[in-house]
Amino acid sequence: MSGFLPDHDRAEIRVSPNFGPRREGSRPDMILIHYTGMESAVSAESWLCDPASEVSAHYLVHEDGRIVQMVREADRAWHAGRGSWRGRTDINSCSVGIEVANPGHAFGYPAFPEVQIESVIALCRGIASRHAIPPERVLAHSDTAPGRKIDPGEKFPWARLAAAGVGHWTEPAPIGGGRFLAEGDRGAPVEALQSMLAIYGYGVDISGTFDATTRIVVEAFQRHFRAARVDGVADRSTIETLHRLLSGLSGVVA
Ligand SMILES: [Zn+2]
């Protein structure tokens, strides 16, 4: 393919060969946000378009706000890898992937510039309206692949996006004292925590044992929704924030 018309009207086109058809007639019903995690955005753009990399995304948003579209929204880009959300494992078939240029934790993890975030917001609004994607399905790569991925990371301004109508958000409950659940704990409270995380969408077994996977999923939840402390301990603030988010979901009694 030499080119296509952009789905987002402000996007430049640079075609990636790394895509295929969405499987089983899947349509996009999720937006998945990443950071590039490479020292330079120029190299990231080339990598995502290099047949040898076998990775891609629908969009790359540069630090200066430029938006490059690489794969048509109708097609399946290769950005998510192994993961799950609400029991679904072929995340690439149901999502639109956005790579936000940022060197990531390995290279100092700078803040995301405002002009870049403005473009991400405009892009997400357009994608959500084209495909009727609900706010709670605008997610971090780390939400679908806990323990394997940490992007776009705890500096990604989810509250700023939510203020602009993008994504599902509640102000995190303040960090304070009180009871908490941590690795090694067992029993009904752990089972309740795991149930809440699973209902929200995270891939976690409801075993009643706070195991390493549970800790990793709690960390993923905190990285997105309570980024002031990402420690895998389900303290009151974490549980209360999760509870508030669930209460705001239609069709879920929490
Ligand atoms: Zn990613």
Side-chain angles (χ1 to χ4, degrees):
M1 198 186 301
S2 59
F4 52 80
L5 288 174
D7 291 299
H8 182 80
D9 57 15
R10 283 177 46 209
E12 303 163 20
I13 299 292
R14 177 168 173 185
V15 176
S16 170
N18 305 327
F19 71 95
R22 292 182 184 273
R23 291 177 186 153
E24 293 163 5
S26 289
R27 299 167 68 88
D29 69 355
M30 175 193 287
I31 295 173
L32 200 65
I33 297 184
H34 306 257
Y35 67 44
T36 49
M38 290 177 67
E39 217 163 353
S40 109
V42 172
S43 322
E45 185 174 319
S46 298
W47 181 244
L48 292 163
C49 294
D50 182 342
S53 76
E54 300 190 333
V55 294
S56 63
H58 294 88
Y59 295 98
L60 171 64
V61 181
H62 283 275
E63 284 104 333
D64 63 2
R66 270 187 316 115
I67 300 172
V68 177
Q69 183 169 7
M70 306 173 157
V71 174
R72 296 186 317 146
E73 289 176 10
D75 289 320
R76 182 177 179 276
W78 303 340
H79 55 97
R82 275 182 297 114
S84 79
W85 191 256
R86 291 204 160 189
R88 177 125 199 213
T89 54
D90 184 2
I91 303 294
N92 282 336
S93 277
C94 68
S95 63
V96 173
I98 300 175
E99 288 280 358
V100 182
N102 186 296
H105 293 78
F107 301 101
Y109 194 31
F112 296 89
E114 175 62 19
V115 64
Q116 182 181 38
I117 292 305
E118 280 168 14
S119 285
V120 171
I121 287 169
L123 182 55
C124 287
R125 279 179 160 170
I127 297 165
S129 87
R130 280 190 287 284
H131 304 287
I133 297 174
E136 66 273 16
R137 291 186 65 85
V138 180
L139 294 165
H141 194 193
S142 51
D143 290 319
T144 66
R148 198 171 67 78
K149 294 291 176 181
I150 58 169
D151 62 305
E154 61 284 354
K155 286 185 186 171
F156 191 76
W158 294 103
R160 166 88 178 83
L161 267 67
V166 175
H168 188 208
W169 180 254
T170 186
E171 198 52 42
I175 296 176
R179 288 195 59 205
F180 62 87
L181 300 168
E183 193 165 357
D185 287 344
R186 290 164 197 273
V190 174
E191 197 171 315
L193 168 69
Q194 291 168 329
S195 300
M196 290 202 295
L197 288 165
I199 290 168
Y200 197 72
Y202 289 92
V204 62
D205 289 335
I206 301 162
S207 64
T209 298
F210 200 124
D211 55 9
T213 306
T214 306
R215 173 178 50 78
I216 284 164
V217 168
V218 168
E219 280 179 14
F221 174 80
Q222 291 170 332
R223 193 168 272 118
H224 185 155
F225 293 106
R226 211 286 310 269
R229 188 184 294 169
V230 180
D231 61 2
V233 173
D235 56 10
R236 268 177 61 141
S237 154
T238 301
I239 294 170
E240 176 60 26
T241 305
L242 174 56
H243 197 272
R244 286 183 198 171
L245 284 163
L246 280 171
S247 305
L249 283 186
S250 56
V252 172
V253 179

